[in-house]
Amino acid sequence: MKVVLQNLTKVFPSRDKKAGGEVVAVNDFNLEIPDGKLIGLLGPSGCGKSTTLYMISGLQKPTAGKIFFGEDDVTELSTENRGIGLVFQNYALYPHMTVKQNILFPLQNLKGSDKLSKEEMQERAYNAAKLVQIDELMDRKPNELSGGQQQRVAIARALVKMPRVLLLDEPLSNLDARLRLQTREEIRRIQKETGITTVFVTHDQEEAMSISDMIVVMKLGVVQQTGKPQDVYDDPTNLFVAKFLGTPPINVLEGKIQGGKVYIGQDAVLEVSGTGDQDVIIGIRPEGFELAENGALHCQLSNVEVMGRDVSIVATNPASLNPVIRSIINADNKLDVSRETVSYNLKPHKVFLFNKETEERIRCEVK
Ligand code: ADP
Ligand code: MG
């Protein structure tokens, strides 16, 4: 099922009664989600992710704009009639019911032509449970399950009605690190097996990057960039997106363009064409550094952290806007850790230039 969001806007009265005014939680959101794809909706807390998801689900009514499922305008349709499955961070299972009863629950309220026989309900519940691999746990109560298992029950409950669209709001946030990794792979597998168009909300960029066909990065209710995870990472539209994606994060420095060269302090680090002289903000991905004797960029060496396959070199430079510059270098490169300085050449495709005032990307050729 293709999902289209058209000029979607949500304005709330401010929660701070004294201050008054309004909060534009989602501002003119446009997106076309292709049939069968998994979209990662990504951004810091408060940027409007949940509000967007609740509008798709019908739990909240947009202030303006339209929502289409396929060719159907569902903007005015109630949640029950949209054919969606919802999964929340806190599982929201019924504690007094068994796993099986929890999964069956949405089917028992079907009415009219949707009504199922007892056998059909049982079969659907078992199929959903099997899909999320909890079919052995059907007679347990939620408090007899681990967090990961509880979230699987919640996913099975969302799937049992065979939704047209699956909506997940930070579904992994309550799980510990190892389970989070495992469950996200599970969600991806289930999504691929069922082919259900899915919107996955998270504030965790790594999570979104790892499982999404397409990510949408939001800030303060406004979509910043939409695209395949790798494309957005390799070609960020502004400093916010560049900083939000990647671990370790991008290194950010002050610099300038002068006479066709990019300068960091006195160091001419790269050549540039297609833009004029100006002060800029320079973003360098951690993997964008090459160790070089007499390299272009000179830094003070602070520390070398061994990570096995790679080493992380921690250095400082007066132009850096972060406390340190962190580069990731293949461990085969031997660096004398007792030295005081380190110098690098930069890989042009890992370096982005941003307008100092607007923080928008400067589109130019860096060599
Ligand atoms: P996210 O899920 O990205 O953390 P939300 O969509 O929950 O963000 O919230 C977006 C903004 O809208 C926030 O500033 C939040 O405080 C505000 N907001 C959300 N729901 C309400 C509400 N019911 N009333 C007032 N403000 C709200
Ligand atoms: Mg939220």
Side-chain angles (χ1 to χ4, degrees):
M1 176 71 50
K2 180 175 88 174
V3 175
V4 178
L5 311 181
Q6 221 172 60
N7 308 109
L8 212 54
T9 296
K10 180 70 182 180
V11 181
F12 290 112
S14 172
R15 278 176 174 153
D16 185 347
K17 294 258 160 45
K18 260 197 228 141
E22 295 177 330
V23 180
V24 184
V26 178
N27 194 347
D28 199 24
F29 194 124
N30 288 287
L31 180 68
E32 183 172 325
I33 307 173
D35 180 33
K37 297 293 180 195
L38 191 157
I39 300 299
L41 196 52
L42 177 65
S45 177
C47 73
K49 304 180 296 294
S50 293
T51 305
T52 304
L53 204 74
Y54 296 162
M55 287 194 283
I56 302 173
S57 73
L59 290 175
Q60 264 166 5
K61 205 173 138 41
T63 311
K66 282 190 185 325
I67 301 162
F68 295 88
F69 285 5
E71 301 307 315
D72 303 340
D73 182 345
V74 300
T75 317
E76 299 296 326
L77 217 56
S78 70
T79 301
E80 298 77 54
N81 295 323
R82 282 193 194 192
I84 50 130
L86 259 175
V87 177
F88 298 99
Q89 174 176 344
N90 59 5
Y91 327 135
L93 301 175
Y94 303 108
H96 58 286
M97 294 186 188
T98 62
V99 167
K100 188 168 160 189
Q101 288 165 337
N102 265 285
I103 300 174
L104 278 170
F105 189 77
L107 298 179
Q108 284 159 345
N109 294 318
L110 294 177
K111 298 202 173 64
S113 60
D114 291 336
K115 212 168 156 54
L116 298 174
S117 72
K118 250 204 161 112
E119 291 72 36
E120 284 170 319
M121 283 199 252
Q122 297 282 342
E123 193 184 335
R124 284 249 211 129
Y126 267 104
N127 286 343
K130 221 173 162 63
L131 194 63
V132 301
Q133 297 172 348
I134 47 158
D135 46 318
E136 313 266 292
L137 308 172
M138 288 298 240
D139 297 321
R140 296 218 196 152
K141 296 267 176 68
N143 66 6
E144 296 164 339
L145 302 176
S146 72
Q149 290 168 334
Q150 289 186 51
Q151 193 57 300
R152 283 160 195 256
V153 178
I155 295 168
R157 193 179 53 181
L159 291 173
V160 75
K161 271 167 77 177
M162 301 186 176
R164 303 196 283 176
V165 180
L166 183 62
L167 304 170
L168 307 156
D169 192 357
E170 312 243 9
L172 309 179
S173 298
N174 283 3
L175 306 181
D176 65 43
R178 204 172 51 84
L179 257 181
R180 207 153 54 219
L181 214 71
Q182 193 188 341
T183 314
R184 86 179 184 208
E185 284 162 12
E186 281 288 286
I187 289 177
R188 184 53 163 165
R189 176 186 64 77
I190 293 162
Q191 192 272 332
K192 281 200 163 147
E193 272 182 43
T194 57
I196 301 176
T197 309
T198 300
V199 183
F200 183 104
V201 162
T202 177
H203 63 275
D204 181 333
Q205 57 90 23
E206 198 190 326
E207 200 170 283
M209 300 263 288
S210 66
I211 70 167
S212 306
D213 292 304
M214 198 160 96
I215 56 170
V216 178
V217 184
M218 289 181 80
K219 174 192 174 188
L220 294 172
V222 181
V223 172
Q224 304 293 301
Q225 193 168 1
T226 302
K228 289 186 185 156
Q230 192 69 45
D231 292 349
V232 179
Y233 181 83
D234 288 338
D235 196 14
T237 190
N238 59 33
L239 183 60
F240 175 83
V241 174
K243 281 161 87 170
F244 202 74
L245 300 185
T247 37
I250 195 164
N251 298 286
V252 183
L253 300 93
E254 284 180 317
K256 66 180 177 194
I257 298 173
Q258 196 172 42
K261 289 197 162 79
V262 181
Y263 285 90
I264 296 173
Q266 301 297 319
D267 296 338
V269 292
L270 288 167
E271 288 177 22
V272 60
S273 58
T275 185
D277 291 0
Q278 59 192 297
D279 288 342
V280 292
I281 297 173
I282 303 169
I284 311 170
R285 292 277 182 217
E287 67 276 22
F289 297 84
E290 271 170 347
L291 275 179
E293 274 314 315
N294 307 312
L297 176 65
H298 297 87
C299 299
Q300 298 298 116
L301 180 62
S302 309
N303 193 16
V304 178
E305 295 169 2
V306 179
M307 304 187 298
R309 187 166 50 93
D310 299 319
V311 292
S312 170
I313 300 177
V314 183
T316 58
N317 182 295
S320 176
L321 293 170
N322 306 335
V324 296
I325 295 176
R326 189 177 284 275
S327 62
I328 305 288
I329 308 274
N330 191 295
D332 294 342
N333 292 283
K334 295 284 175 248
L335 181 69
D336 174 8
V337 296
S338 66
R339 43 187 298 168
E340 292 190 348
T341 62
V342 58
S343 67
Y344 297 107
N345 287 325
L346 302 180
K347 301 176 189 168
H349 67 290
K350 294 288 179 184
V351 177
F352 311 123
L353 305 179
F354 301 97
N355 182 295
K356 205 174 167 193
E357 269 74 49
T358 65
E359 301 190 350
E360 290 300 312
R361 181 88 172 275
I362 300 169
R363 294 291 170 183
C364 56
E365 201 192 341
V366 183
K367 295 187 289 252

